[in-house]
Amino acid sequence: MPETERPLRADARRNRERIMASAGELFALQGHEVQMEEIATHSGLGMGTLYRHFPNKQALLTAMVRERFRGMTDLAHDAEQLSDPWEAFETILRTYLEAADGDAGFQLALMGSKEPEGDGLEEQKAKFAEIIHRIIERAVAAGAVRSDLTVADFPLLTVGIMATMYFKPAGNPDWRRHLQLVLDGVRPTETGSGTVGR
């Protein structure tokens, strides 16, 4: 059983949390260039402790994404309970992105050329995707979103907005405006507002 799936002693759990918090801060500052040695130093722990928890940087990123998806699944469950199909879709898209805001490690992992996988991550992502699928199917059936929208479009929408969130392009770096443009774009053409902002 991978160490990440075993119950950890309190001290080991604290060390793991320190490593992940330090990694998140350094990814925000340096992106993928951050080295494992820097993460160990920043966390105040030795390299041996770091490598006992995470044998390489990819494993660390995978663990960070898995933890984030656990929280995202809870958000999706909450959104699915909303009675209005459009509100459910808008809520999960917005809260998903709000949760990712400031989490550079998660943003980088999803925008990277090699998507994190393994160590329980696929199962966690599948649980999240099942709920998103139901939310989108309900919205399509209600005519609240364009008829060709599918669950496969969700990462396409979110990663695009995360790129704005992470890189902050010149001119208008506000990812929330990008989100509003996307929301207008997924509404059925005949009911779309044709405007951004509220």
Side-chain angles (χ1 to χ4, degrees), residues 60-81:
L60 175 54
L61 274 171
T62 297
M64 294 172 73
V65 172
R66 186 181 60 251
E67 290 299 313
R68 178 59 70 187
F69 265 108
R70 284 177 180 160
M72 297 298 189
T73 301
D74 291 338
L75 293 176
H77 273 300
D78 291 343
E80 190 177 20
Q81 303 312 307

Side-chain angles (χ1 to χ4, degrees), residues 16-99:
R16 181 180 173 82
E17 291 169 354
R18 285 171 62 182
I19 292 166
M20 294 177 70
S22 294
E25 292 176 20
L26 291 176
F27 282 131
L29 293 172
Q30 302 179 36
H32 275 299
E33 300 306 312
V34 65
Q35 300 300 310
M36 292 290 275
E37 291 80 3
E38 296 174 275
I39 294 171
T41 300
H42 190 273
S43 67
L45 299 169
M47 289 298 295
T49 300
L50 174 59
Y51 282 120
R52 275 197 300 275
H53 287 279
F54 306 105
N56 52 56
K57 188 163 58 175
Q58 188 63 33
L60 175 54
L61 274 171
T62 297
M64 294 172 73
V65 172
R66 186 181 60 251
E67 290 299 313
R68 178 59 70 187
F69 265 108
R70 284 177 180 160
M72 297 298 189
T73 301
D74 291 338
L75 293 176
H77 273 300
D78 291 343
E80 190 177 20
Q81 303 312 307
L82 297 172
S83 59
D84 181 82
W86 169 258
E87 185 181 0
F89 174 76
E90 180 182 15
T91 296
I92 186 51
L93 185 59
R94 188 181 302 278
T95 56
Y96 178 97
L97 290 162
E98 287 173 347

Side-chain angles (χ1 to χ4, degrees), residues 59-195:
L60 175 54
L61 274 171
T62 297
M64 294 172 73
V65 172
R66 186 181 60 251
E67 290 299 313
R68 178 59 70 187
F69 265 108
R70 284 177 180 160
M72 297 298 189
T73 301
D74 291 338
L75 293 176
H77 273 300
D78 291 343
E80 190 177 20
Q81 303 312 307
L82 297 172
S83 59
D84 181 82
W86 169 258
E87 185 181 0
F89 174 76
E90 180 182 15
T91 296
I92 186 51
L93 185 59
R94 188 181 302 278
T95 56
Y96 178 97
L97 290 162
E98 287 173 347
D101 191 15
D103 188 341
F106 183 68
Q107 296 165 28
L108 284 168
L110 293 192
M111 290 190 297
S113 58
K114 181 180 180 183
E115 189 174 355
E117 58 185 16
D119 201 14
L121 177 56
E122 292 308 307
E123 179 183 355
Q124 197 63 50
K125 288 171 64 177
K127 291 178 182 177
F128 177 76
E130 286 174 9
I131 305 172
I132 299 302
H133 178 71
R134 293 196 298 267
I135 289 173
I136 290 177
E137 272 201 332
R138 182 163 66 112
V140 168
V145 298
R146 51 190 296 166
S147 61
D148 61 342
L149 190 70
T150 71
V151 67
D153 293 318
F154 193 82
L156 180 68
L157 301 177
T158 54
V159 170
I161 297 171
M162 280 185 194
T164 299
M165 185 185 291
Y166 183 81
F167 292 108
K168 298 179 176 61
N172 191 346
D174 186 0
W175 65 264
R176 290 172 182 81
R177 177 174 171 80
H178 190 165
L179 169 61
Q180 192 60 54
L181 289 165
V182 165
L183 288 170
D184 279 2
V186 300
R187 281 190 178 276
T189 303
E190 62 272 18
T191 60
S193 65
T195 61

